[in-house]
Amino acid sequence: MKNFRILALALITITTFSSCSSDNDSGPVNEEEVITTVAATFTPVGGGTPVVLMSRDLDGDGPDAPVVSVSGNFTAGRAYEGAVNFLNELANPVEEITGEIQEEGTQHQIFFQHSGIGTFTYTDEDANGHPIGLSFLYTATTTPGAGSLTITLRHQPNKSGENVPEGNIANAGGSTDAQVNFSVVVE
């Protein structure tokens, strides 16, 4: 009889601990942002007309392709101060998402993949000293030509991954929140 009580007590204890590990322990839910617009502004160091790259997808997941525009060409060998902004233009009023990305900087990183159009250097960092990419320095290649630039916003990347702090997306992991591709010219 004593062994039966010990066995019953053990089963009750196991059942109690099992029921404590429920979905209630998952913590706060971070809703995924709706991003309709990505705008990258390249302002020439020392002055001049900025080059603005913009992608707008105003029907969200609808059938229409995003409208992509590039306001001008880059000058070979010239340096530009860059900034990337993200908007949700489906909200009324328009929702600025850039500040939220800045606040959650440890959970986001922007990557600049290109076809040899120059170099990108991060000029901002999160609370852990890793880059975010909302601001950067771009130096155009000295060789004129046409190329492509893909701007990708990753959520929860491994910012300590090999070459990730330098902007290599290959080892970043995480999930893509936004990705746009631009055709650009360096003249």
Side-chain angles (χ1 to χ4, degrees), residues 104-182:
E104 298 175 354
T106 58
Q107 301 172 28
H108 294 95
Q109 185 170 341
I110 299 164
F111 295 90
F112 305 93
Q113 298 166 271
H114 58 88
S115 57
I117 62 167
T119 59
F120 287 81
T121 304
Y122 293 104
T123 57
D124 61 358
E125 60 184 29
D126 63 22
N128 297 326
H130 294 115
I132 302 172
L134 291 171
S135 64
F136 57 89
L137 181 67
Y138 164 64
T139 304
T141 179
T142 56
T143 306
S148 66
L149 170 63
T150 301
I151 298 176
T152 304
L153 172 62
R154 279 283 171 94
H155 184 81
Q156 298 285 359
N158 175 12
K159 290 190 168 194
S160 298
E162 185 178 348
N163 298 321
V164 173
E166 291 78 31
N168 187 335
I169 198 171
N171 298 317
S175 61
T176 299
D177 282 347
Q179 185 173 57
V180 293
N181 185 54
F182 301 96

Side-chain angles (χ1 to χ4, degrees), residues 15-158:
T15 303
T16 301
F17 283 116
S18 296
S19 65
C20 288
S21 62
S22 67
D23 293 336
N24 295 334
D25 299 335
S26 60
V29 175
N30 187 9
E31 288 188 32
E32 193 169 308
E33 304 89 3
V34 173
I35 298 173
T36 60
T37 305
V38 178
T41 303
F42 296 75
T43 303
V45 173
T49 303
V51 177
V52 180
L53 284 56
M54 183 173 289
S55 174
R56 299 176 78 202
D57 190 2
L58 298 183
D59 68 345
D61 290 334
D64 297 333
V67 176
V68 177
S69 63
V70 177
S71 70
N73 297 334
F74 295 105
T75 301
R78 186 146 196 197
Y80 297 82
E81 294 175 335
V84 185
N85 290 298
F86 298 90
L87 303 172
N88 175 7
E89 294 193 81
L90 296 177
N92 187 11
V94 172
E95 183 181 6
E96 171 66 56
I97 299 173
T98 309
E100 185 177 330
I101 294 169
Q102 178 77 40
E103 289 175 16
E104 298 175 354
T106 58
Q107 301 172 28
H108 294 95
Q109 185 170 341
I110 299 164
F111 295 90
F112 305 93
Q113 298 166 271
H114 58 88
S115 57
I117 62 167
T119 59
F120 287 81
T121 304
Y122 293 104
T123 57
D124 61 358
E125 60 184 29
D126 63 22
N128 297 326
H130 294 115
I132 302 172
L134 291 171
S135 64
F136 57 89
L137 181 67
Y138 164 64
T139 304
T141 179
T142 56
T143 306
S148 66
L149 170 63
T150 301
I151 298 176
T152 304
L153 172 62
R154 279 283 171 94
H155 184 81
Q156 298 285 359
N158 175 12

